[in-house]
mmCIF file of all heavy atoms in Angstrom:
data_model
loop_
_atom_site.group_PDB
_atom_site.id
_atom_site.type_symbol
_atom_site.label_atom_id
_atom_site.label_comp_id
_atom_site.label_asym_id
_atom_site.label_seq_id
_atom_site.Cartn_x
_atom_site.Cartn_y
_atom_site.Cartn_z
ATOM 1 N N ALA A 16 -85.143 214.381 -68.564
ATOM 2 C CA ALA A 16 -84.674 214.199 -69.955
ATOM 3 C C ALA A 16 -83.164 213.891 -69.906
ATOM 4 O O ALA A 16 -82.452 214.429 -69.086
ATOM 5 C CB ALA A 16 -84.882 215.421 -70.804
ATOM 6 N N ASN A 17 -82.745 213.082 -70.892
ATOM 7 C CA ASN A 17 -81.296 212.862 -70.918
ATOM 8 C C ASN A 17 -80.637 213.702 -72.035
ATOM 9 O O ASN A 17 -81.354 214.505 -72.623
ATOM 10 C CB ASN A 17 -80.984 211.305 -71.208
ATOM 11 C CG ASN A 17 -81.367 210.898 -72.587
ATOM 12 O OD1 ASN A 17 -81.646 211.670 -73.488
ATOM 13 N ND2 ASN A 17 -81.682 209.578 -72.747
ATOM 14 N N LYS A 18 -79.393 213.594 -72.301
ATOM 15 C CA LYS A 18 -78.717 214.521 -73.231
ATOM 16 C C LYS A 18 -79.160 214.385 -74.662
ATOM 17 O O LYS A 18 -79.421 215.374 -75.360
ATOM 18 C CB LYS A 18 -77.191 214.201 -73.265
ATOM 19 C CG LYS A 18 -76.500 214.721 -72.008
ATOM 20 C CD LYS A 18 -74.996 214.391 -72.184
ATOM 21 C CE LYS A 18 -74.183 214.846 -70.968
ATOM 22 N NZ LYS A 18 -72.768 214.587 -70.977
ATOM 23 N N ILE A 19 -79.641 213.152 -75.030
ATOM 24 C CA ILE A 19 -80.135 212.995 -76.423
ATOM 25 C C ILE A 19 -81.523 213.672 -76.547
ATOM 26 O O ILE A 19 -81.743 214.372 -77.540
ATOM 27 C CB ILE A 19 -80.205 211.501 -76.800
ATOM 28 C CG1 ILE A 19 -78.823 210.862 -77.098
ATOM 29 C CG2 ILE A 19 -81.154 211.306 -78.051
ATOM 30 C CD1 ILE A 19 -78.789 209.452 -77.472
ATOM 31 N N ASP A 20 -82.295 213.425 -75.643
ATOM 32 C CA ASP A 20 -83.670 214.098 -75.669
ATOM 33 C C ASP A 20 -83.531 215.604 -75.611
ATOM 34 O O ASP A 20 -84.245 216.300 -76.393
ATOM 35 C CB ASP A 20 -84.547 213.711 -74.393
ATOM 36 C CG ASP A 20 -84.895 212.118 -74.455
ATOM 37 O OD1 ASP A 20 -84.960 211.589 -75.666
ATOM 38 O OD2 ASP A 20 -85.095 211.601 -73.382
ATOM 39 N N GLU A 21 -82.706 216.161 -74.759
ATOM 40 C CA GLU A 21 -82.415 217.608 -74.783
ATOM 41 C C GLU A 21 -81.913 218.108 -76.118
ATOM 42 O O GLU A 21 -82.367 219.080 -76.692
ATOM 43 C CB GLU A 21 -81.441 217.975 -73.648
ATOM 44 C CG GLU A 21 -82.025 217.838 -72.305
ATOM 45 C CD GLU A 21 -80.989 218.008 -71.206
ATOM 46 O OE1 GLU A 21 -79.875 218.513 -71.528
ATOM 47 O OE2 GLU A 21 -81.295 217.704 -69.998
ATOM 48 N N PHE A 22 -80.982 217.324 -76.788
ATOM 49 C CA PHE A 22 -80.429 217.676 -78.004
ATOM 50 C C PHE A 22 -81.515 217.764 -79.163
ATOM 51 O O PHE A 22 -81.690 218.691 -79.917
ATOM 52 C CB PHE A 22 -79.321 216.684 -78.407
ATOM 53 C CG PHE A 22 -78.716 217.021 -79.801
ATOM 54 C CD1 PHE A 22 -77.612 217.816 -79.864
ATOM 55 C CD2 PHE A 22 -79.213 216.381 -80.952
ATOM 56 C CE1 PHE A 22 -77.074 218.115 -81.040
ATOM 57 C CE2 PHE A 22 -78.628 216.617 -82.198
ATOM 58 C CZ PHE A 22 -77.567 217.497 -82.230
ATOM 59 N N VAL A 23 -82.361 216.623 -79.161
ATOM 60 C CA VAL A 23 -83.413 216.588 -80.206
ATOM 61 C C VAL A 23 -84.431 217.638 -79.981
ATOM 62 O O VAL A 23 -85.013 218.220 -80.954
ATOM 63 C CB VAL A 23 -83.936 215.141 -80.207
ATOM 64 C CG1 VAL A 23 -85.164 215.001 -81.161
ATOM 65 C CG2 VAL A 23 -82.897 214.075 -80.654
ATOM 66 N N THR A 24 -84.778 217.982 -78.749
ATOM 67 C CA THR A 24 -85.815 218.991 -78.428
ATOM 68 C C THR A 24 -85.417 220.238 -79.106
ATOM 69 O O THR A 24 -86.246 221.038 -79.653
ATOM 70 C CB THR A 24 -86.014 219.116 -76.923
ATOM 71 O OG1 THR A 24 -86.477 217.910 -76.451
ATOM 72 C CG2 THR A 24 -86.919 220.229 -76.686
ATOM 73 N N LYS A 25 -84.097 220.670 -79.041
ATOM 74 C CA LYS A 25 -83.619 221.882 -79.584
ATOM 75 C C LYS A 25 -83.244 221.870 -81.086
ATOM 76 O O LYS A 25 -83.090 222.866 -81.703
ATOM 77 C CB LYS A 25 -82.338 222.275 -78.869
ATOM 78 C CG LYS A 25 -82.580 222.593 -77.358
ATOM 79 C CD LYS A 25 -81.287 222.828 -76.551
ATOM 80 C CE LYS A 25 -81.558 222.921 -75.143
ATOM 81 N NZ LYS A 25 -80.266 222.931 -74.396
ATOM 82 N N LEU A 26 -83.212 220.624 -81.639
ATOM 83 C CA LEU A 26 -82.780 220.464 -83.029
ATOM 84 C C LEU A 26 -83.764 220.982 -84.046
ATOM 85 O O LEU A 26 -84.990 220.701 -83.883
ATOM 86 C CB LEU A 26 -82.543 218.902 -83.268
ATOM 87 C CG LEU A 26 -82.075 218.486 -84.697
ATOM 88 C CD1 LEU A 26 -80.623 219.020 -84.892
ATOM 89 C CD2 LEU A 26 -82.073 216.960 -84.744
ATOM 90 N N ILE A 34 -86.100 211.251 -86.941
ATOM 91 C CA ILE A 34 -84.984 211.108 -86.034
ATOM 92 C C ILE A 34 -85.480 210.550 -84.733
ATOM 93 O O ILE A 34 -84.962 209.685 -84.088
ATOM 94 C CB ILE A 34 -84.189 212.405 -85.815
ATOM 95 C CG1 ILE A 34 -83.524 212.755 -87.101
ATOM 96 C CG2 ILE A 34 -83.293 212.344 -84.658
ATOM 97 C CD1 ILE A 34 -82.968 214.220 -87.126
ATOM 98 N N ILE A 38 -84.391 206.874 -82.959
ATOM 99 C CA ILE A 38 -83.911 206.874 -81.660
ATOM 100 C C ILE A 38 -84.761 206.029 -80.763
ATOM 101 O O ILE A 38 -84.149 205.118 -80.026
ATOM 102 C CB ILE A 38 -83.706 208.310 -81.096
ATOM 103 C CG1 ILE A 38 -82.598 209.048 -81.754
ATOM 104 C CG2 ILE A 38 -83.477 208.233 -79.510
ATOM 105 C CD1 ILE A 38 -82.536 210.528 -81.404
ATOM 106 N N ARG A 42 -83.286 202.637 -79.023
ATOM 107 C CA ARG A 42 -83.415 202.456 -77.533
ATOM 108 C C ARG A 42 -84.155 201.167 -77.191
ATOM 109 O O ARG A 42 -83.781 200.424 -76.276
ATOM 110 C CB ARG A 42 -84.247 203.607 -76.999
ATOM 111 C CG ARG A 42 -83.401 204.870 -76.827
ATOM 112 C CD ARG A 42 -84.335 205.980 -76.269
ATOM 113 N NE ARG A 42 -83.431 207.179 -75.950
ATOM 114 C CZ ARG A 42 -83.976 208.340 -75.903
ATOM 115 N NH1 ARG A 42 -85.213 208.650 -76.162
ATOM 116 N NH2 ARG A 42 -83.139 209.344 -75.564
ATOM 117 N N GLU A 49 -75.801 202.926 -73.614
ATOM 118 C CA GLU A 49 -75.565 204.199 -72.969
ATOM 119 C C GLU A 49 -75.710 205.262 -74.019
ATOM 120 O O GLU A 49 -75.419 205.039 -75.230
ATOM 121 C CB GLU A 49 -74.066 204.203 -72.423
ATOM 122 C CG GLU A 49 -73.816 203.248 -71.331
ATOM 123 C CD GLU A 49 -72.405 203.274 -70.842
ATOM 124 O OE1 GLU A 49 -71.722 204.263 -71.012
ATOM 125 O OE2 GLU A 49 -71.950 202.222 -70.329
ATOM 126 N N GLU A 50 -76.206 206.417 -73.573
ATOM 127 C CA GLU A 50 -76.566 207.454 -74.520
ATOM 128 C C GLU A 50 -75.746 208.694 -74.226
ATOM 129 O O GLU A 50 -75.541 208.912 -73.029
ATOM 130 C CB GLU A 50 -78.073 207.832 -74.409
ATOM 131 C CG GLU A 50 -78.914 206.626 -74.793
ATOM 132 C CD GLU A 50 -80.406 206.946 -74.730
ATOM 133 O OE1 GLU A 50 -80.739 208.174 -74.811
ATOM 134 O OE2 GLU A 50 -81.161 206.006 -74.791
ATOM 135 N N ASP A 51 -75.379 209.476 -75.208
ATOM 136 C CA ASP A 51 -74.738 210.704 -74.922
ATOM 137 C C ASP A 51 -74.831 211.589 -76.243
ATOM 138 O O ASP A 51 -75.439 211.084 -77.265
ATOM 139 C CB ASP A 51 -73.215 210.459 -74.737
ATOM 140 C CG ASP A 51 -72.499 211.650 -73.942
ATOM 141 O OD1 ASP A 51 -73.109 212.720 -73.819
ATOM 142 O OD2 ASP A 51 -71.335 211.394 -73.532
ATOM 143 N N VAL A 52 -74.311 212.775 -76.257
ATOM 144 C CA VAL A 52 -74.177 213.484 -77.459
ATOM 145 C C VAL A 52 -72.712 213.756 -77.650
ATOM 146 O O VAL A 52 -72.059 214.408 -76.848
ATOM 147 C CB VAL A 52 -74.966 214.950 -77.341
ATOM 148 C CG1 VAL A 52 -74.701 215.749 -78.544
ATOM 149 C CG2 VAL A 52 -76.438 214.652 -77.096
ATOM 150 N N LYS A 53 -72.254 213.109 -78.796
ATOM 151 C CA LYS A 53 -70.876 213.197 -79.100
ATOM 152 C C LYS A 53 -70.644 213.501 -80.677
ATOM 153 O O LYS A 53 -71.499 213.073 -81.362
ATOM 154 C CB LYS A 53 -70.101 211.863 -78.727
ATOM 155 C CG LYS A 53 -70.143 211.555 -77.290
ATOM 156 C CD LYS A 53 -69.244 210.374 -77.030
ATOM 157 C CE LYS A 53 -70.044 209.072 -77.135
ATOM 158 N NZ LYS A 53 -69.180 207.874 -76.634
ATOM 159 N N TRP A 54 -69.538 213.993 -80.960
ATOM 160 C CA TRP A 54 -69.341 214.293 -82.390
ATOM 161 C C TRP A 54 -70.440 214.992 -83.105
ATOM 162 O O TRP A 54 -70.755 214.870 -84.299
ATOM 163 C CB TRP A 54 -68.996 212.885 -83.102
ATOM 164 C CG TRP A 54 -67.819 212.213 -82.555
ATOM 165 C CD1 TRP A 54 -66.481 212.607 -82.516
ATOM 166 C CD2 TRP A 54 -67.854 210.963 -81.879
ATOM 167 N NE1 TRP A 54 -65.768 211.663 -81.794
ATOM 168 C CE2 TRP A 54 -66.508 210.653 -81.412
ATOM 169 C CE3 TRP A 54 -68.887 209.974 -81.614
ATOM 170 C CZ2 TRP A 54 -66.222 209.457 -80.826
ATOM 171 C CZ3 TRP A 54 -68.618 208.830 -80.932
ATOM 172 C CH2 TRP A 54 -67.270 208.612 -80.522
ATOM 173 N N GLY A 55 -71.174 215.885 -82.286
ATOM 174 C CA GLY A 55 -72.157 216.712 -82.805
ATOM 175 C C GLY A 55 -73.562 216.091 -82.968
ATOM 176 O O GLY A 55 -74.417 216.618 -83.634
ATOM 177 N N GLY A 56 -73.761 214.867 -82.472
ATOM 178 C CA GLY A 56 -75.067 214.319 -82.574
ATOM 179 C C GLY A 56 -75.394 213.160 -81.546
ATOM 180 O O GLY A 56 -74.418 212.874 -80.739
ATOM 181 N N PRO A 57 -76.563 212.718 -81.440
ATOM 182 C CA PRO A 57 -76.899 211.657 -80.503
ATOM 183 C C PRO A 57 -76.050 210.405 -80.799
ATOM 184 O O PRO A 57 -75.787 210.073 -81.947
ATOM 185 C CB PRO A 57 -78.316 211.344 -80.876
ATOM 186 C CG PRO A 57 -78.911 212.609 -81.475
ATOM 187 C CD PRO A 57 -77.770 213.154 -82.299
ATOM 188 N N SER A 58 -75.506 209.838 -79.723
ATOM 189 C CA SER A 58 -74.615 208.694 -79.771
ATOM 190 C C SER A 58 -75.002 207.642 -78.784
ATOM 191 O O SER A 58 -75.419 207.935 -77.705
ATOM 192 C CB SER A 58 -73.191 209.258 -79.448
ATOM 193 O OG SER A 58 -72.271 208.296 -79.764
ATOM 194 N N PHE A 59 -74.839 206.400 -79.291
ATOM 195 C CA PHE A 59 -75.126 205.252 -78.481
ATOM 196 C C PHE A 59 -73.882 204.355 -78.334
ATOM 197 O O PHE A 59 -73.194 204.197 -79.276
ATOM 198 C CB PHE A 59 -76.256 204.332 -79.145
ATOM 199 C CG PHE A 59 -77.601 205.206 -79.241
ATOM 200 C CD1 PHE A 59 -77.871 205.954 -80.359
ATOM 201 C CD2 PHE A 59 -78.498 204.977 -78.225
ATOM 202 C CE1 PHE A 59 -79.114 206.565 -80.376
ATOM 203 C CE2 PHE A 59 -79.726 205.650 -78.242
ATOM 204 C CZ PHE A 59 -79.985 206.401 -79.340
ATOM 205 N N ASP A 60 -73.693 203.918 -77.132
ATOM 206 C CA ASP A 60 -72.541 203.067 -76.796
ATOM 207 C C ASP A 60 -72.959 201.748 -76.219
ATOM 208 O O ASP A 60 -73.998 201.761 -75.480
ATOM 209 C CB ASP A 60 -71.566 203.747 -75.788
ATOM 210 C CG ASP A 60 -70.943 205.048 -76.355
ATOM 211 O OD1 ASP A 60 -71.120 205.398 -77.504
ATOM 212 O OD2 ASP A 60 -70.194 205.610 -75.593
ATOM 213 N N PRO A 64 -68.041 202.913 -78.294
ATOM 214 C CA PRO A 64 -68.924 203.627 -79.187
ATOM 215 C C PRO A 64 -69.546 202.773 -80.281
ATOM 216 O O PRO A 64 -68.747 202.069 -80.920
ATOM 217 C CB PRO A 64 -68.102 204.715 -79.791
ATOM 218 C CG PRO A 64 -67.038 204.994 -78.802
ATOM 219 C CD PRO A 64 -66.743 203.633 -78.162
ATOM 220 N N ALA A 66 -72.750 203.814 -82.358
ATOM 221 C CA ALA A 66 -73.315 204.552 -83.466
ATOM 222 C C ALA A 66 -73.552 206.046 -83.029
ATOM 223 O O ALA A 66 -74.026 206.260 -81.953
ATOM 224 C CB ALA A 66 -74.564 203.946 -84.029
ATOM 225 N N THR A 67 -73.409 206.921 -83.960
ATOM 226 C CA THR A 67 -73.694 208.303 -83.789
ATOM 227 C C THR A 67 -74.498 208.878 -84.927
ATOM 228 O O THR A 67 -74.164 208.570 -86.083
ATOM 229 C CB THR A 67 -72.448 209.168 -83.684
ATOM 230 O OG1 THR A 67 -71.680 208.519 -82.582
ATOM 231 C CG2 THR A 67 -72.650 210.590 -83.402
ATOM 232 N N MET A 68 -75.634 209.678 -84.674
ATOM 233 C CA MET A 68 -76.362 210.247 -85.757
ATOM 234 C C MET A 68 -75.746 211.469 -86.192
ATOM 235 O O MET A 68 -75.180 212.332 -85.262
ATOM 236 C CB MET A 68 -77.752 210.455 -85.204
ATOM 237 C CG MET A 68 -78.752 210.865 -86.376
ATOM 238 S SD MET A 68 -79.955 211.974 -85.671
ATOM 239 C CE MET A 68 -79.409 213.425 -86.491
ATOM 240 N N ASN A 69 -75.741 211.763 -87.489
ATOM 241 C CA ASN A 69 -75.117 213.026 -88.026
ATOM 242 C C ASN A 69 -76.364 214.010 -88.361
ATOM 243 O O ASN A 69 -76.909 213.791 -89.331
ATOM 244 C CB ASN A 69 -74.267 212.762 -89.309
ATOM 245 C CG ASN A 69 -73.605 214.016 -89.777
ATOM 246 O OD1 ASN A 69 -74.004 215.065 -89.495
ATOM 247 N ND2 ASN A 69 -72.665 213.788 -90.671
ATOM 248 N N PRO A 70 -76.565 214.963 -87.579
ATOM 249 C CA PRO A 70 -77.684 215.820 -87.842
ATOM 250 C C PRO A 70 -77.410 216.884 -88.877
ATOM 251 O O PRO A 70 -78.339 217.546 -89.292
ATOM 252 C CB PRO A 70 -77.890 216.561 -86.440
ATOM 253 C CG PRO A 70 -76.629 216.575 -85.753
ATOM 254 C CD PRO A 70 -75.919 215.258 -86.262
ATOM 255 N N ARG A 71 -76.183 216.983 -89.312
ATOM 256 C CA ARG A 71 -75.912 217.909 -90.433
ATOM 257 C C ARG A 71 -76.432 217.546 -91.795
ATOM 258 O O ARG A 71 -76.573 218.310 -92.686
ATOM 259 C CB ARG A 71 -74.340 218.202 -90.531
ATOM 260 C CG ARG A 71 -73.831 218.982 -89.270
ATOM 261 C CD ARG A 71 -72.378 219.159 -89.183
ATOM 262 N NE ARG A 71 -71.612 217.890 -89.074
ATOM 263 C CZ ARG A 71 -71.550 217.158 -87.918
ATOM 264 N NH1 ARG A 71 -72.170 217.645 -86.843
ATOM 265 N NH2 ARG A 71 -70.789 216.088 -87.807
ATOM 266 N N PHE A 78 -77.164 207.259 -89.275
ATOM 267 C CA PHE A 78 -76.335 206.847 -88.156
ATOM 268 C C PHE A 78 -75.047 206.221 -88.648
ATOM 269 O O PHE A 78 -75.111 205.436 -89.571
ATOM 270 C CB PHE A 78 -77.072 205.796 -87.249
ATOM 271 C CG PHE A 78 -78.141 206.377 -86.436
ATOM 272 C CD1 PHE A 78 -79.399 206.517 -86.977
ATOM 273 C CD2 PHE A 78 -77.953 206.794 -85.099
ATOM 274 C CE1 PHE A 78 -80.474 207.109 -86.193
ATOM 275 C CE2 PHE A 78 -78.941 207.364 -84.452
ATOM 276 C CZ PHE A 78 -80.223 207.520 -84.913
ATOM 277 N N HIS A 81 -69.594 202.968 -85.901
ATOM 278 C CA HIS A 81 -68.214 203.179 -85.812
ATOM 279 C C HIS A 81 -67.357 202.009 -86.374
ATOM 280 O O HIS A 81 -66.341 202.188 -86.873
ATOM 281 C CB HIS A 81 -67.783 203.769 -84.519
ATOM 282 C CG HIS A 81 -68.500 204.999 -84.130
ATOM 283 N ND1 HIS A 81 -68.407 206.213 -84.760
ATOM 284 C CD2 HIS A 81 -69.490 205.256 -83.252
ATOM 285 C CE1 HIS A 81 -69.196 207.104 -84.299
ATOM 286 N NE2 HIS A 81 -69.861 206.507 -83.299
#
Side-chain angles (χ1 to χ4, degrees):
N17 68 22
K18 288 183 180 181
I19 288 179
D20 293 333
E21 290 174 11
F22 180 88
V23 174
T24 297
K25 297 173 187 169
L26 184 64
I34 290 168
I38 288 169
R42 283 176 171 158
E49 294 179 26
E50 301 182 15
D51 203 349
V52 175
K53 296 189 269 189
W54 303 295
S58 189
F59 294 90
D60 296 0
T67 301
M68 194 212 105
N69 183 345
R71 290 176 294 287
F78 284 88
H81 303 290

